[in-house]
Structure formats: C-alpha cells, structure tokens
Amino acid sequence: MRLKLTVEYDGTEFCGWAAQPELRTVEKEVRAALAAVFPAYDKLAVAGRTDTGVHALRNVVSVDVEGGPPAARAAEALNAGLPDDVAVVAAEEAASDFHARHSARSRSYRYRIWRRRAPSPFEDKRSWWYPRPVDERRLADAADLLLGEHDFRAFTPTETQHEVFKRNVVRAQWHRRGDALEFEITADSFLRHMVRTLVGTMVELPPDQIAPLLEGRPRSEAGSTAPPWGLYLERVDY
C-alpha cells in the first residue's frame, strides 16, 4: 500500500529534513517511526526538503508500506513513536503512482517577521525579530514583481545543484497580522534558500533594484538571506 502522510514539525531542533549521519533530522525520526509500525517500507519521498531550522505546517510524504495498521489508523500509530516536535496530522492510501515530490503542482511558503519593538519569548525561533523601520508599501510593490515566470538564480546560492533557475510564481503577498508581518508565496517549485533570500532582499532593497534581479543576475547582486526560523512550508497542492 502506498501512503500519503501529511506531516508538521517544529524545525528548531532539527538539522533539516534529509537524513544525515550523526545529526538529528526529520527524515530520520519519520523513518524510525515507520520501522516501528510497519514490517517493511520502501520508496519514501518528501515534497519539501526543508533546511535546518525551517518549520512545516503541511509537508507531504509518500511511502510504500507492508503489513501494519490500515491507512485510517496509520497516523495514530506513527505519532505514538514520534517525538513531540513532529506529528503526522493525516494519513491516507494513495494511488500507486503518487509521488510526494514529482506529483506536486505547487508549494506554498510563509515567512514571518516579528515587528514589535520588544522581542517575544513565544516568537523565539519561530519568526525573524526585525524591529527596525520597514516600508510596507515598498514590500508590497516588490512582491508584485515576483508574479509570473522569472529566472531566480540571484536568490539561490552560487554553488548549487540546480540546472534550471526559472520558476513560475502564482501568488506573492505581504500581510500585516498584529505584530507580525508575513510573506506568503506559491510557486510550481522553489530553489534552495529562494524564499529566505527574497525576503532578505525585499527588506533591504527597493523594488526598482529588485526588478533586474529577476532576469537571472548573479547571487552577489541580491540582498541577505533571512534566517531560517521565520520560514514555514505551508502546504503542497496536487
């Protein structure tokens, strides 16, 4: 049976999604839970390979399992073996050709900036505390520039495994929610560090300096990369 698992986690204590020797990762915890529940599993794939410190509200995993509980009880069984900072919020049987990464049509991310003059202990490692002045109108204008297909190589590390840098952005908006300023973006897929570098660049540079960057300019011309703890993988659409 192929399972589709919807997973959420607080990325604070994880060295990202992908399993790495001697490091605590989300994948390692999920694999341990799968091994404890199912006699055998194979072909585990994830929609978003989040980096160190990045959170997920609804990441998606696909995996083939043998034996064990039915799909309706899989989430409860897996959660019994997962640590408190990871949870399977839904489990369902998927088509045999479903693949968490390759079947995805789009992914949505949210980046949270904490704007209060004083820091909050409840926002620590869950948002970027940035009390300095920010022109919110300028941020909105910069977000509008991102819509459509552009070459985003200026917003990913120079040393990269990516060969194609064009991405199609279908939604990009800033929202003020109380003391938080949140950037929400949806695209067909994302480059490594793309959202965080877009956020850092929009905070630092005016829109007229960002527009040329979307034509494939080098990374050195864009702004800083915002810290990982403000970033959330919000959802994956299929």
Side-chain angles (χ1 to χ4, degrees), residues 214-233:
L214 300 171
E215 300 173 359
R217 304 300 299 167
R219 172 66 185 89
S220 58
E221 295 185 16
S224 304
T225 301
W229 47 82
L231 184 60
Y232 298 72
L233 174 55

Side-chain angles (χ1 to χ4, degrees), residues 4-218:
K4 175 187 176 185
L5 306 176
T6 302
V7 183
E8 68 180 15
Y9 47 88
D10 179 340
T12 303
E13 300 298 328
F14 288 106
C15 296
W17 164 268
Q20 303 174 62
E22 308 303 323
L23 295 177
R24 185 174 188 250
T25 68
V26 184
E27 181 182 5
K28 186 178 292 187
E29 297 289 359
V30 170
R31 286 186 177 276
L34 286 166
V37 171
F38 297 99
Y41 74 90
D42 192 21
K43 298 181 179 178
L44 186 145
V46 69
R49 290 167 60 93
T50 51
D51 290 331
T52 298
V54 175
H55 316 294
L57 301 177
R58 290 188 292 277
N59 206 347
V60 176
V61 171
S62 57
V63 61
D64 289 346
V65 298
E66 294 182 13
R73 292 180 47 225
E76 180 180 3
L78 290 168
N79 286 331
L82 285 169
D84 292 342
D85 47 3
V86 190
V88 176
V89 297
E92 58 187 285
E93 185 171 357
S96 60
D97 62 348
F98 173 77
H99 189 281
R101 178 185 174 194
H102 301 312
S103 300
R105 292 185 294 106
S106 66
R107 296 162 178 80
S108 297
Y109 283 87
R110 179 188 305 168
Y111 194 95
R112 302 185 70 248
I113 300 179
W114 187 244
R115 296 289 297 131
R116 198 174 69 183
R117 289 184 62 85
S120 168
F122 300 106
E123 291 289 331
D124 183 49
K125 300 303 181 185
R126 288 176 175 82
S127 64
W128 177 22
W129 179 47
Y130 193 88
R132 296 187 290 280
V134 170
D135 186 335
E136 295 185 23
R137 180 68 259 173
R138 194 176 79 173
L139 290 178
D141 291 342
D144 289 341
L145 296 172
L146 306 181
L147 296 174
E149 186 176 81
H150 302 284
D151 187 324
F152 287 94
R153 74 184 66 214
F155 303 95
T156 194
T158 301
E159 297 298 324
T160 179
Q161 295 180 347
H162 293 293
E163 297 180 356
V164 177
F165 297 90
K166 287 188 176 181
R167 297 294 187 269
N168 184 36
V169 175
V170 298
R171 181 177 67 112
Q173 294 177 315
W174 285 93
H175 299 276
R176 164 67 80 159
R177 296 179 174 127
D179 289 320
L181 191 58
E182 299 185 348
F183 176 60
E184 297 178 351
I185 183 170
T186 300
D188 51 355
S189 63
F190 289 84
L191 303 170
R192 185 165 181 256
H193 295 177
M194 176 174 155
V195 179
R196 292 165 52 201
T197 309
L198 283 170
V199 169
T201 301
M202 285 188 281
V203 168
E204 294 174 3
L205 301 179
D208 62 350
Q209 293 184 35
I210 293 175
L213 299 176
L214 300 171
E215 300 173 359
R217 304 300 299 167

